[in-house]
Amino acid sequence: MMSVCMRYARHREEATEILNMAFLKVFQRMEQYAKSENGNFEGWMYRIVVNTAIDFFFFLIKHKHSDVDHYMYVEDQSDLLAEMEAEQILLLVNELS
């Protein structure tokens, strides 16, 4: 799961923080998973880790943390995606790490 966090984080310390928050959520929601009987445990845990990493990113942006300097801060560009061609979007997605 650390490798998943490293994809979203700028450095190892940030990834460790994300991973710790994710594992806390996993342990807090373990009973939910046991009751739901949906899918495998690893997939469920992976989804929590990814969502935690995304939440962490948006928390930094929302609070305009100094750590956000390396991220591209975009205000509201919801119309921008609607105007883009599918090929342009795919090119941008392929540039992601």
Side-chain angles (χ1 to χ4, degrees):
M1 293 299 151
M2 182 62 159
S3 62
V4 174
C5 293
M6 288 295 292
R7 291 183 207 150
Y8 291 89
R10 179 175 55 166
H11 45 76
R12 189 164 189 81
E13 292 82 18
E14 197 172 79
T16 302
E17 187 174 348
I18 293 169
L19 186 64
N20 286 336
M21 290 187 305
F23 276 129
L24 179 62
K25 289 180 183 180
V26 167
F27 290 121
Q28 288 174 338
R29 299 174 184 174
M30 192 76 70
E31 191 173 313
Q32 272 181 322
Y33 173 77
K35 288 180 182 177
S36 69
E37 299 177 13
N38 291 335
N40 67 3
F41 181 75
E42 186 177 339
W44 177 77
M45 190 166 65
Y46 176 85
R47 191 78 245 152
I48 290 176
V49 171
V50 169
N51 287 338
T52 302
I54 292 169
D55 290 345
F56 182 81
F57 171 74
F58 283 114
F59 172 82
L60 291 178
I61 290 176
K62 182 178 179 182
H63 294 287
K64 296 183 182 174
H65 241 258
S66 61
D67 293 343
V68 183
D69 294 341
H70 70 285
Y71 297 115
M72 183 177 87
Y73 181 73
V74 179
E75 289 193 12
D76 183 19
Q77 292 191 353
S78 54
D79 294 334
L80 180 66
L81 285 177
E83 296 172 9
M84 293 178 75
E85 298 284 328
E87 291 175 4
Q88 292 173 310
I89 295 172
L90 285 174
L91 287 173
L92 291 173
V93 169
N94 288 332
E95 290 179 11
L96 296 172
S97 59

